[in-house]
Amino acid sequence: MSLRPPDLAPSPQLRARRLGLFAQHEAIVLMRRDCHVCRSEGLSARAQVLLTAGDREVYATLFQLDGDLIALDEAALSEEAWRLLGVQPGDPIGVRHAPALESLSSVRRRIYGSRLDAPAMAAIVGDVAAGRYTDIHLAAFLTASSAMPLDEAETVALTQAMVDVGDRLTWDAPVVIDKHSIGGLPGNRTTPIVVAILTACGLMAPKTSSRAITSPAGTADTMETLAPVDLNLAAMRRVVEAEGGCLVWGGAVSLSPADDIFIRIERVLDVDTEGQLVASVLSKKIAAGSNHVVLDLPVGPTAKVRSEAAGQQLAQRLTEVAARFGVKARCLLTDGSQPVGRGVGPALEAWDVLAVLQNLSDAPQDLRARACLLAGAALELAGAAVAGTGAGVAEAVLANGRAWTKFQRICEAQGGMRTPPKAAVRSPILARRAGRVVLINNRQVATLAKLAGAPDRKAAGLTLEARLGDEVARGQPLLTVNAETSGELAYALDYATAHPDMIEIEA
């Protein structure tokens, strides 16, 4: 009789089967309830199991079924589990109960109001990055970090842990500049313009961006309609060495990989708390090798930051945590009273970016001015412009076409420039009365764009036809909903009908 401890015993074996089940990032395994492994291991539905194949292992959620859909000796895998295990049909895989995760005790302590130290944060983030947390575990941690917000020590510890579990880039340049907006303002797609200006001025700007969390589009979503963004580290380095900068998706280069897992759950929960926000933003800047960063903090009644006092508090936290990692940060509190530009949604925002870069006469001037403001602050922070002159320098680089030329070069280096798609169906939303536009609800505008299909449907979203202070006539279009299917268009229009004060008009 073997005296080997249970955790060292070999896992019972089954044959791998590719089920063709797409569950986004979730690893799932399906097994027969009456199979010998389920019986011998005492496995039940929704159990967390450890799958092994050679030297690879994956934590997965078990679902069970009766009948002949799969054989008794088969384990049917979702696409994510199949990818992570790297198996072929019929390969042997081991299945057993997943080991208990000690870091979950820290999550439980946080739920009950205890603060977490650096080792606890490191253990949690390490398990998250390794794929050991289910969506329920992730949601519990994020919710616990929201109900009692992370303090500065916890935020620093979370930031460090998120940096440590991923790759980290270094660059042969004294100044590596970055720019980031905390979000919450539809259409605020300044990053491609800012990166084009900064690199045209000779600065190094290796920009990694997130996909949307609670918004209808993230920078990576918009850039994906203009050029490939799923570059690996070697390709990213090649682009930066050739052009001075890039605009890539952070999830493809494994910089702070735990952040992309958190973002996936935050999107479902529709939460983005201060501590997570600070750690998310700064961990990726630090991992990307940036040592100077300009942060855009839109402030407005329906923006993510509601008041100037809250904005100042967040700016202080960002600046102080950045300094702990040797990063020089400058925060700008900007106007968050209404969306920026005309388009809200990946492709619609891309068309706005192109219009500004190409100096078209109908380009949205608010987007242009905001991009120059942020690029100017970055130029000054990097020492490439005298204090108070940065915005003017940025405007000149934009006006003379150097930024547009550089942007095209970056897109070509990343794999070739693309033409953004356009929606198949559209419908205007009309003013119910005449008067002056006095309020545009950013959150409802963002929700409307998401219901139309953004960001997953790249052409979906909405086009703003009126701005704050505009005088409008009854029956005049206030915005136009863009969708790729008639069903999504109808769904979005139902929401607009139920929220008639999304754009408030005062007679």
Side-chain angles (χ1 to χ4, degrees), residues 191-215:
T191 294
I193 304 167
V194 171
V195 169
I197 292 171
L198 297 180
T199 51
C201 290
L203 291 175
M204 180 171 283
K207 177 63 179 170
T208 63
S209 298
S210 298
R211 298 192 185 277
I213 302 176
T214 58
S215 71

Side-chain angles (χ1 to χ4, degrees), residues 49-324:
V49 296
L50 179 66
L51 308 178
T52 56
D55 60 353
R56 295 194 179 193
E57 63 178 39
V58 173
Y59 284 69
T61 301
L62 170 67
F63 288 90
Q64 296 177 310
L65 68 154
D66 292 326
D68 299 326
L69 182 63
I70 59 175
L72 274 171
D73 64 343
E74 285 184 328
L77 305 177
S78 69
E79 287 299 294
E80 182 69 1
W82 188 269
R83 181 185 69 82
L84 293 171
L85 278 179
V87 290
Q88 295 298 317
D91 282 356
I93 61 173
V95 185
R96 61 182 303 171
H97 277 289
L101 296 176
E102 292 185 12
S103 68
L104 284 176
S105 64
S106 295
V107 174
R108 285 189 288 272
R109 287 193 294 110
R110 193 63 172 71
I111 290 171
Y112 285 105
S114 298
R115 295 288 179 185
L116 300 183
D117 58 15
M121 281 293 189
I124 290 170
V125 173
D127 282 338
V128 169
R132 300 183 184 120
Y133 271 34
T134 66
D135 286 359
I136 294 174
H137 297 146
L138 291 164
F141 174 66
L142 291 170
T143 303
S145 302
S146 174
M148 184 179 74
L150 303 179
D151 62 18
E152 183 174 333
E154 288 178 307
T155 303
V156 170
L158 178 59
T159 304
Q160 184 67 66
M162 289 167 68
V163 171
D164 290 344
V165 296
D167 295 320
R168 190 165 181 177
L169 295 172
T170 57
W171 305 99
D172 187 19
V175 174
V176 182
I177 191 77
D178 204 339
K179 169 267 167 191
H180 184 86
S181 172
I182 65 165
L185 193 60
N188 190 19
R189 203 54 54 218
T190 55
T191 294
I193 304 167
V194 171
V195 169
I197 292 171
L198 297 180
T199 51
C201 290
L203 291 175
M204 180 171 283
K207 177 63 179 170
T208 63
S209 298
S210 298
R211 298 192 185 277
I213 302 176
T214 58
S215 71
T219 296
D221 300 307
T222 293
M223 271 303 302
E224 194 168 44
T225 71
L226 293 165
V229 296
D230 293 349
L231 276 63
N232 59 27
L233 281 175
M236 176 182 170
R237 185 174 290 280
R238 173 182 54 77
V239 174
V240 175
E241 289 175 350
E243 300 300 336
C246 64
L247 288 148
V248 303
W249 175 46
V253 290
S254 193
L255 302 176
S256 187
D259 185 49
D260 294 295
I261 297 172
F262 287 137
I263 284 173
R264 175 169 55 86
I265 303 302
E266 287 172 326
R267 182 182 294 119
V268 176
L269 294 175
D270 198 18
V271 298
D272 194 8
T273 61
E274 180 180 291
Q276 289 287 342
L277 183 154
V278 172
S280 172
V281 170
L282 294 180
S283 65
K284 289 194 170 179
K285 307 310 167 193
I286 296 161
S290 300
N291 50 30
H292 291 66
V293 60
V294 168
L295 297 156
D296 176 18
L297 280 58
V299 179
T302 59
K304 187 176 293 184
V305 179
R306 303 296 182 86
S307 68
E308 186 168 344
Q312 294 288 0
Q313 177 181 318
L314 178 57
Q316 182 178 353
R317 175 63 59 87
L318 283 161
T319 304
E320 290 175 349
V321 174
R324 296 280 290 270

Side-chain angles (χ1 to χ4, degrees), residues 31 33 35 37-45 47-49 62 64 95-98:
M31 295 162 57
R33 280 201 308 164
C35 85
V37 174
C38 283
R39 293 191 173 197
S40 65
E41 289 286 299
L43 297 175
S44 57
Q48 187 79 348
V49 296
L62 170 67
Q64 296 177 310
V95 185
R96 61 182 303 171
H97 277 289

